[in-house]
Structures are given as C-alpha cells and as structure tokens.
Amino acid sequence: MSSRPMLNQREAAAACGVSRTTIRRRREAGALPGAVEDPHRGWLIPVEDLLAAGFHLNAPAPPDEPPSPAAPAGKSGDVGGDVQEVAELRAELERVRHEHALAVAQAEHGRELAQAEADHLREQLQARGEHIADLQRALKALMPVPERPGLGQPPASVPGQARPETGPAVAPAAGSEQSERSVGEGRRRWWGGRR
C-alpha cells in the first residue's frame, strides 16, 4: 500500500473540487480501481487513483507530525491539516447549500399549495355568493308587496270613472230615471249581463 492517504468520496470530491456524484460515477466506471469499501467510512479512494484519473488535488500533505511546542497551533506549516480542514469546510458548505436548496424547494411547494387553496376558496366564495343572490331573489318573489298608503282609494280624477261618494248614501227620488238606472246598474253582474 502507498504512503499517501485514502479519502472517502466526500473528502475526495472536496479535495478535487468536484461533486461527490462525479467521484461516484468515476468509481463505478472503473477509473478508480484501488477504491475499497470500508464499513465505517464508506468507499475509500487512494490519492494515486485520483491523480491517475486526471483529477487535480490540493497540495498533497506529508504524514502528520506533531507540532513543535514552540510553534503556535495553526502556524506550524501543517499543509495536510489545512487540506483536511478545507475539505471539511467544502463538505459542510455543500451540505448547507443542499439543505438551503431543499428548504427553498419546500417553501416554493408550500406557496404553490397555498395559492391553489386560495384560488379554490375564492371560487367557492363566488359560487356561494351567487347562490345567496339567487335565494334572495326567490325570497323577494315569494314575499307580498308591502301596501303603500293611499292604495285603497282611487286617484281624484280618472277619466271615465265616477268619484266615490264620501258622505252618507242618499237614495234618489222614487220614479226618477236616475233611480231606475242606478238600481238596474247595481244589480248587474260583473260580466255585464242583465237579469
């Protein structure tokens, strides 16, 4: 086995600046023949295979050496630690981007559902409003017309009609022509026939 480290798919993708899908496709295509599956870390890919497949890695790091006590942490010139940290940060960035894209997609889906529900409720509201208007018209048609004052009495002067007498009824003199006519008219039936 070589002295260079083996990276899992996530680390290899971060170190090469490509997506995990690209690494997986290359592994499945046989471009990374030294890849082995580890039950704890997943697929482990040797750095030599990545270089042989044409990937450009960040500067390879020598095996980790403990930092000297005189050098403060982070200033030891440990390039391997930086590569690992960069790979982890890139993986974290990819995870956050994925979560953000998922959250945006869920929010958009929720907005579309809410819009569809609002449209449906507007249609129902309009249909119910029309139904209520129909019921109001039907109710209005079934209700009696309210009586207006003065409807019971005819207007003061209608041509061709006699004015009603407002005082007590006075019988015309017997034997007069007017009395015979009024008696005869009083006995007429509504269809105009005589007795």
Side-chain angles (χ1 to χ4, degrees):
M1 191 149 203
S2 71
S3 63
R4 291 198 178 185
M6 294 183 73
L7 305 173
N8 65 23
Q9 288 187 137
R10 180 180 52 85
E11 295 166 343
C16 296
V18 296
S19 69
R20 284 187 276 178
T21 307
T22 302
I23 299 293
R24 179 182 52 81
R25 285 186 194 136
R26 291 282 185 94
R27 179 185 51 78
E28 290 173 350
L32 305 170
V36 293
E37 190 170 10
D38 181 58
H40 300 288
R41 290 185 64 199
W43 283 96
L44 298 178
I45 303 163
V47 174
E48 290 89 8
D49 284 0
L50 292 171
L51 294 173
F55 291 111
H56 299 287
L57 297 175
N58 296 332
D64 290 339
E65 296 177 15
S68 62
K75 301 282 185 183
S76 65
D78 184 13
V79 178
D82 290 343
V83 170
Q84 181 66 25
E85 184 178 349
V86 168
E88 290 173 1
L89 289 174
R90 284 185 180 168
E92 178 69 15
L93 178 63
E94 185 66 29
R95 183 188 64 78
V96 169
R97 282 182 181 165
H98 177 71
E99 288 176 358
H100 176 69
L102 184 63
V104 167
Q106 287 176 340
E108 180 66 21
H109 180 68
R111 187 192 65 77
E112 289 172 357
L113 287 176
Q115 183 65 37
E117 181 69 18
D119 291 344
H120 176 70
L121 290 174
R122 280 189 200 103
E123 290 172 5
Q124 279 187 338
L125 183 62
Q126 183 179 3
R128 288 186 181 178
E130 292 170 0
H131 184 68
I132 288 172
D134 289 344
L135 290 175
Q136 286 174 338
R137 283 191 294 271
L139 184 62
K140 195 179 221 182
L142 293 174
M143 292 189 63
V145 177
E147 301 225 2
R148 288 182 272 170
L151 257 183
Q153 299 177 1
S157 62
V158 175
Q161 270 191 346
R163 283 185 77 189
E165 296 179 19
T166 57
V170 178
S176 71
E177 194 176 307
Q178 183 181 11
S179 69
E180 289 177 14
R181 193 173 13 145
S182 62
V183 170
E185 284 179 7
R187 294 184 183 165
R188 277 191 186 171
R189 297 195 176 128
W190 64 271
W191 61 87
R194 291 185 183 234
R195 305 193 269 175

